[in-house]
Each structure stands twice: as C-alpha cells, then as structure tokens.
Amino acid sequence: MTTKRQSIHGQWSSRWAFIMAATGSAVGLGNIWRFPYLTGEYGGGAFVLMYIGCVLLVGIPIMMSEVLLGRRGRQSPINTMASLAEEEGLTSGWRYLGWMGVVAGFLILSFYSVVAGWTLEYIFQAGSGNFLTATDEEIGEIFDSLLRNPGQLMAMHTLFMALTVIVVAMGVQSGLERAVKFLMPALFILLLLMVGYAMSTDGFEEGVYYLFYPDWSKLSGEGFLAALGQAFFSLSLGMGAIMVYGSYLPDDASIANTSVTIALADTLVAIMAGLAIFPLVFAYGLETGSGPGLIFVTLPIAFGQMPYGQIFGTGFFILLLFAAWTSSISLLEPAVAWLVENRGISRARSAAIAGLIAWVLGIGSVLSFNLWQDYRLFDKTYFDIMEYVTSNIMLPLGGLLIAVFTAWLMSRKAVIEELGLGEGLIFRTWLFVVRYVAPIGVVIIFLHAIGFL
Ligand code: TRP
C-alpha cells in the first residue's frame, strides 16, 4: 500500500498554475537567444528538424518521467530520488542523480544570469533610443563594447541574480506562481508582432527557407548533439527543475496532457523566435553564424527601423527579461528545496545561499568575454565550457538516468498509478519510448558526437 506524500513547500493552486509555471521555466533565453543562434551555427533547417525530433522522441517522454518522479516523491530531487529508490529496494545512491542536477542548476544559472544581464542592459539601451540613430555597425559596436566592460556585465549579472533570489525566497505560490501569469501571454503577443514585422521585410522568404529547408550536408555529429542538448535545455529537463515543479503538482492533474502542452508551447515560441530573427538576418545582410550575440545585434537593427521601435524594443527586452526570470527561478529551486528539507534553513536564506554560489560561478563567465578571453580549453572560453558541459553532457546524462529509473527500475504499478493513463496504447507507447527510444537515442548521439559512430 502506498500512502500519498505531501510536499512541505506547498502546492500549485491548480493544474493550470503548474502549466504556467513549467512553461515559464521552459520558455526563456533558451528559446529566444539560444535556439536561433544554434540554428545559425549548425546550418538552419537540418538543425531545426533534429531539434523537433529530439523534443518529440526524447523530450516529451522524459518530461513525463520527470514530473512523475517529482509528484511521487514530493521532495527536492535529491530526496525524491533517495525515497523512490528506497521504495523500490534500490540503492540510495540514486540521490546522486539529484545532486548532479543541483550542480548543473548552479552551473547553468551562472552563465544564464550573465546573458540575462545583457537583456537588462538592452532594456536601457532600447529605452534611451540608442538603436534609433545607430547604424548597423554602431549597433554591433554597442554589443561588443558591453562585452569588453566587465564592470557593467558584473553589475547586470548581480542585479539579475538578486531578482532571481527574491522570487525564490517568496516561495511556491506567492513567488513563483504570481510572476508568470501575465508575462507569458504578453511575451507571446509581442513575439507575434515581431514575426509580423519580419514578414514585411524582404528577407522573409529566405528566412523561412533557411529555417525549414533541411540542408543535410550541414549536419554533423556535433550538430546532432547540440540539438539534443538544446531540447533538454529548452524544456528545462535533466536537472530536476521539472521534477521539483512536479513535486508541487496536485494529485489529480494529468501528467501526459500537461507535459505535451508545455513542450508544444515551448517549441512554438522557439520557432516564432526563429521566424522573427532570420528574415532580419537576411534582410540586413548579417551573419547567420554569429554566435551568442545573434539576437543582440539583429533585433536592435529592426527596432531602429520599425515604427515605434523604441517602444517595441524596450517592451521586447523587458518581456525577455521576465521570460529569463521565470526560468532562472527553476534552476535554483531544487537546491533551495534541499536546503530547506535537510538543513532546516529558511527558504529566504536558502535562496540567498544558493544564489550566491551561482553568482560566484558566473564571475568566470563575465570575465570570459574580456580579461579571460584568451584562457581556453579546446578553443572554448569559460562561458562556452559552462554552456557546453551542462547542455550537451550533464542534462542528457541526467535525462538518460531518469528514463532508466522510471522505465526499467520503478515498479510498473507505481508508474501506472502516478501517470493515470491506464495500461492502454498511450501508456505502452510512452513506456516503449522511455525504455528504448530515448535512452538509446541519447547514447547514440553521444557516441556519434565523440566520433565513435
Ligand atoms: N529552459 C530555460 C530556457 O529555455 C532554461 C532553464 C530553466 C533550464 N530551467 C532549466 C535549462 C533546467 C535546463 C534545465 O531558457
């Protein structure tokens, strides 16, 4: 007999609140900053298709697993994994899966906060009308000179981290939930307007072609791994963020429906971001492969030229900041939940401690654009390494272990009870995918990327 656990941290007020919070976690810089720049680096349509394939075959099934584990364990990912493993008569060593997630969360937040800091800076840049009068070159120069300025980068990184800590400190319902309700729809509408503007430029056709016409010759093992990593990154999977959000999910909510809704919304936003950005890249003759700076040089040019660009530009970067904010809180939540559970530290203090750790780690990312830019490993800076190791290694590895745990080790009865899908075709399809397709897919992509296959 199983008695239902209760979370000591509270619960979402409804299924809808969970969808909003989890979508808030998923939709962020990953969709609007990272997805377009990776698409540009890895050659357009082929990358987009790989990405969508990874979301469908690996992302959605693993998201269901993560929510399932979270709701069943109802604790921080570390304790959830320990209790569920114990329940199944397995080694409590599974808690290290939770630990890896906590570490990945710190590492991701450390560079995420720096990029969110660029967004903050751009609110001021757009607001003061700087993009209206600047030439394309001058707009590129605004970005480059920001990167050369560690003081300014540190200030913005610090400000963003403080914002993250404040919301996490306020707790599940009052903090996390309230932040997402209005801002997500607003971002969506503004993005639609941006796509509308992109349609009016003469790069639209070329942009659409670039995004949706796969040039397979551009595909590499490295690109495949990047697409997999991006699926994990964008859906917030593999480190316990969705698990900890699942631990606050009411018992009667359908895990399958909510997961599919969240993944669709997330993918839609990424595609819209691509549709808003690539036409501009072609219309203004910019480089598709210009890396992490892509949106910070293309979009300002558009804001400089479109009617009411100052208002739209400011609004856009404000909403992007909020999207980043509702994501960053989920990176901190697993560590904070653990500190509250195991160390008996108050939520506010825990948030401050965890935020401080991520902030310190982020200093390296700040410096990697200026003072430390020549310190490289495999030609990658500190920032590049953080991004690469977390998205392309830690998250897929975490996801792989989550899939193995749910589909191979957990008792089928527990899984069926938690998923609530019965034992019909949908359940069996999911089980097949989580047992075979997702884990084998991850392993093949890993081996392929390191040149083994
Ligand atoms: N998904 C978020 C984005 O796209 C980032 C994020 C939040 C994340 N929580 C996460 C990424 C957990 C990986 C794991 O911006």
Side-chain angles (χ1 to χ4, degrees):
M1 207 195 71
T2 48
T3 45
K4 291 268 179 212
R5 293 188 182 87
Q6 294 264 323
S7 170
I8 63 164
H9 311 283
Q11 217 180 69
W12 305 113
S13 55
S14 65
R15 180 183 89 100
W16 184 237
F18 168 76
I19 292 183
M20 291 301 272
T23 310
S25 163
V27 174
L29 296 171
N31 308 60
I32 292 167
W33 158 71
R34 199 167 190 268
F35 174 77
Y37 106 67
L38 288 179
T39 301
E41 271 182 358
Y42 291 104
F47 179 84
V48 173
L49 259 183
M50 294 279 141
Y51 173 71
I52 292 175
C54 288
V55 167
L56 292 177
L57 289 175
V58 181
I60 293 177
I62 290 185
M63 183 179 287
M64 288 171 62
S65 312
E66 228 186 288
V67 179
L68 181 163
L69 296 180
R71 189 167 70 179
R72 197 152 185 90
R74 291 249 184 253
Q75 299 156 75
S76 67
I78 297 172
N79 291 325
T80 284
M81 289 316 299
S83 330
L84 295 182
E86 193 191 335
E87 210 167 275
E88 304 291 343
L90 303 163
T91 154
S92 67
W94 277 98
R95 71 176 183 280
Y96 292 113
L97 175 54
W99 274 110
M100 181 171 76
V102 166
V103 173
F106 284 140
L107 298 180
I108 296 174
L109 182 56
S110 77
F111 72 81
Y112 201 86
S113 169
V114 173
V115 179
W118 302 348
T119 307
L120 257 170
E121 169 74 20
Y122 270 53
I123 295 174
F124 304 122
Q125 292 283 349
S128 56
N130 286 353
F131 302 141
L132 300 179
T133 48
T135 62
D136 299 1
E137 285 79 49
E138 283 164 349
I139 281 175
E141 181 50 33
I142 290 176
F143 185 65
D144 291 339
S145 65
L146 172 64
L147 293 189
R148 280 196 303 268
N149 184 346
Q152 186 64 8
L153 292 175
M154 272 309 290
M156 295 295 145
H157 165 52
T158 307
L159 188 53
F160 183 79
M161 197 62 84
L163 291 173
T164 302
V165 166
I166 289 169
V167 175
V168 177
M170 295 200 303
V172 170
Q173 281 205 4
S174 45
L176 308 189
E177 219 179 288
R178 222 183 313 165
V180 278
K181 278 196 182 139
F182 303 100
L183 302 162
M184 303 291 303
L187 177 69
F188 192 80
I189 291 167
L190 204 66
L191 211 50
L192 266 180
L193 286 174
M194 300 286 300
V195 175
Y197 175 75
M199 287 173 94
S200 76
T201 66
D202 52 16
F204 191 67
E205 219 171 303
E206 203 177 340
V208 170
Y209 187 81
Y210 182 79
L211 267 183
F212 297 114
Y213 187 84
D215 176 355
W216 295 111
S217 70
K218 290 211 180 124
L219 206 78
S220 58
E222 201 36 41
F224 205 171
L225 181 62
L228 179 75
Q230 174 61 9
F232 277 96
F233 189 93
S234 194
L235 296 172
S236 302
L237 294 178
M239 56 71 65
I242 290 293
M243 197 185 292
V244 82
Y245 275 24
S247 75
Y248 311 139
L249 181 65
D251 283 314
D252 53 0
S254 156
I255 291 178
N257 289 347
T258 47
S259 299
V260 171
T261 309
I262 294 159
L264 285 183
D266 187 68
T267 306
L268 188 64
V269 173
I271 300 285
M272 279 173 48
L275 281 175
I277 288 157
F278 283 105
L280 305 181
V281 172
F282 295 112
Y284 302 128
L286 303 167
E287 278 293 321
T288 50
S290 50
L294 183 68
I295 67 159
F296 296 96
V297 292
T298 47
L299 294 180
I301 296 180
F303 293 130
Q305 309 207 346
M306 66 170 70
Y308 305 107
Q310 191 170 353
I311 296 172
F312 281 132
T314 316
F316 178 83
F317 286 111
I318 289 176
L319 291 173
L320 184 57
L321 175 75
F322 276 102
W325 198 3
T326 58
S327 299
S328 63
I329 54 183
S330 73
L331 287 161
L332 218 45
E333 184 65 19
V336 169
W338 181 82
L339 282 169
V340 173
E341 285 164 11
N342 287 47
R343 289 284 177 269
I345 305 172
S346 74
R347 178 165 262 280
R349 271 198 110 140
S350 303
I353 294 168
L356 188 66
I357 296 174
W359 178 82
V360 170
L361 290 167
I363 297 173
S365 283
V366 163
L367 298 178
S368 74
F369 293 102
N370 35 69
L371 302 174
W372 289 3
Q373 61 175 312
D374 295 324
Y375 294 123
R376 286 167 192 256
L377 203 68
F378 300 113
D379 203 34
K380 286 182 173 3
T381 64
Y382 178 97
F383 176 89
D384 300 333
I385 292 169
M386 288 291 141
E387 211 191 331
Y388 188 92
V389 170
T390 51
S391 320
N392 294 7
I393 300 171
M394 295 177 88
L395 300 180
L397 187 62
L400 175 70
L401 293 170
I402 287 167
V404 167
F405 187 89
T406 350
W408 290 97
L409 302 175
M410 243 175 123
S411 76
R412 190 179 273 225
K413 186 172 154 289
V415 172
I416 289 173
E417 186 179 295
E418 206 57 51
L419 271 188
L421 288 172
E423 292 185 70
L425 186 64
I426 303 183
F427 171 73
R428 276 180 287 140
T429 310
W430 170 80
L431 190 63
F432 178 78
V433 177
V434 195
R435 276 201 152 168
Y436 302 101
V437 182
I440 295 173
V442 169
V443 170
I444 289 180
I445 296 170
F446 268 146
L447 293 178
H448 199 58
I450 57 174
F452 248 70
L453 274 175

Coordinates of all heavy atoms in Angstrom, one line a residue, residues 25-26 28-31 108 112 232-234 236-237 239 241 327 330-331 395, ligand 1:
S25 N 9.2 28.2 -16.8 CA 10.5 27.6 -16.7 C 11.1 27.3 -18.1 O 12.3 27.6 -18.4 CB 10.5 26.4 -15.8 OG 11.7 25.7 -16.0
A26 N 10.3 26.7 -18.9 CA 10.8 26.2 -20.2 C 11.1 27.4 -21.1 O 12.1 27.5 -21.8 CB 9.8 25.3 -20.8
G28 N 12.3 30.7 -22.2 CA 13.3 31.7 -21.7 C 14.3 32.0 -22.7 O 14.1 32.0 -23.9
L29 N 15.5 32.4 -22.2 CA 16.6 32.7 -23.1 C 16.9 31.5 -24.1 O 17.4 31.7 -25.2 CB 17.8 33.0 -22.3 CG 17.7 34.3 -21.5 CD1 18.9 34.4 -20.5 CD2 17.6 35.5 -22.3
G30 N 16.6 30.3 -23.6 CA 16.8 29.1 -24.4 C 16.1 29.2 -25.8 O 16.6 28.8 -26.8
N31 N 14.9 29.7 -25.7 CA 14.1 29.8 -27.0 C 14.5 31.0 -27.8 O 14.5 30.9 -29.0 CB 12.6 30.0 -26.6 CG 12.1 29.0 -25.6 OD1 12.6 28.9 -24.5 ND2 11.2 28.2 -26.0
I108 N 24.4 26.2 -14.8 CA 23.6 26.8 -15.9 C 23.2 28.3 -15.4 O 23.3 29.2 -16.2 CB 22.3 26.0 -16.2 CG1 22.7 24.7 -16.8 CG2 21.4 26.8 -17.1 CD1 21.5 23.7 -17.0
Y112 N 23.6 31.8 -17.4 CA 22.3 32.3 -17.7 C 22.1 33.7 -17.2 O 21.6 34.6 -17.9 CB 21.2 31.3 -17.1 CG 19.9 31.3 -17.8 CD1 19.6 30.5 -18.9 CD2 18.8 32.2 -17.3 CE1 18.4 30.5 -19.5 CE2 17.6 32.1 -17.9 CZ 17.4 31.3 -19.0 OH 16.1 31.3 -19.6
F232 N 16.9 19.5 -24.3 CA 16.9 19.4 -22.8 C 16.9 20.8 -22.2 O 16.2 21.1 -21.2 CB 18.2 18.6 -22.3 CG 18.0 17.1 -22.3 CD1 18.4 16.3 -23.4 CD2 17.3 16.5 -21.3 CE1 18.2 15.0 -23.4 CE2 17.1 15.1 -21.3 CZ 17.5 14.4 -22.3
F233 N 17.8 21.6 -22.7 CA 17.9 23.0 -22.2 C 16.6 23.7 -22.3 O 16.1 24.3 -21.3 CB 19.0 23.7 -22.9 CG 19.4 25.1 -22.3 CD1 20.4 25.1 -21.4 CD2 18.7 26.2 -22.6 CE1 20.8 26.4 -20.8 CE2 19.0 27.4 -22.1 CZ 20.0 27.5 -21.2
S234 N 16.0 23.7 -23.5 CA 14.8 24.5 -23.7 C 13.6 24.0 -22.9 O 12.8 24.8 -22.4 CB 14.5 24.5 -25.2 OG 13.6 25.5 -25.4
S236 N 13.9 22.6 -20.0 CA 14.3 22.6 -18.6 C 14.4 21.1 -18.1 O 14.1 20.9 -16.9 CB 13.3 23.3 -17.7 OG 13.2 24.6 -18.1
L237 N 14.9 20.2 -18.9 CA 14.9 18.8 -18.4 C 16.3 18.4 -18.0 O 17.3 18.9 -18.4 CB 14.5 17.9 -19.6 CG 13.0 18.1 -20.1 CD1 12.8 17.1 -21.2 CD2 12.1 17.7 -18.9
M239 N 17.7 18.1 -15.0 CA 18.4 18.5 -13.8 C 17.5 18.6 -12.6 O 18.0 19.1 -11.5 CB 19.3 19.8 -14.0 CG 18.6 21.0 -14.5 SD 17.5 21.8 -13.4 CE 18.6 22.4 -12.1
A241 N 14.6 20.4 -12.4 CA 13.7 21.6 -12.3 C 12.3 21.2 -12.5 O 11.4 21.6 -11.7 CB 14.1 22.7 -13.3
S327 N 12.5 31.5 -15.8 CA 13.3 30.3 -16.0 C 14.3 30.1 -14.9 O 14.6 29.0 -14.4 CB 14.0 30.3 -17.3 OG 13.0 30.4 -18.4
S330 N 13.6 28.4 -11.6 CA 13.5 27.0 -11.6 C 14.9 26.3 -11.5 O 15.0 25.1 -11.2 CB 12.7 26.4 -12.8 OG 13.5 26.5 -14.0
L331 N 15.9 27.0 -11.9 CA 17.3 26.5 -11.8 C 17.8 26.5 -10.3 O 18.6 25.7 -10.0 CB 18.2 27.3 -12.6 CG 18.1 27.2 -14.1 CD1 18.7 28.3 -14.9 CD2 18.7 25.8 -14.6
L395 N 22.9 17.5 -18.8 CA 21.4 17.3 -18.9 C 21.0 16.0 -19.7 O 20.2 15.3 -19.2 CB 20.8 18.5 -19.6 CG 21.0 19.9 -19.0 CD1 20.3 21.0 -19.8 CD2 20.4 19.9 -17.5
Ligands
TRP1 N1 14.5 26.3 -20.2 C1 15.0 27.5 -19.9 C2 15.2 28.3 -21.2 O1 15.0 27.9 -22.2 C3 16.3 27.5 -19.1 C4 16.1 26.6 -17.9 C5 15.4 26.8 -16.8 C6 16.7 25.3 -17.8 N2 15.4 25.7 -16.0 C7 16.3 24.8 -16.6 C8 17.6 24.6 -18.6 C9 16.6 23.5 -16.2 C10 18.0 23.3 -18.2 C11 17.5 22.8 -17.0 O2 15.6 29.5 -21.1

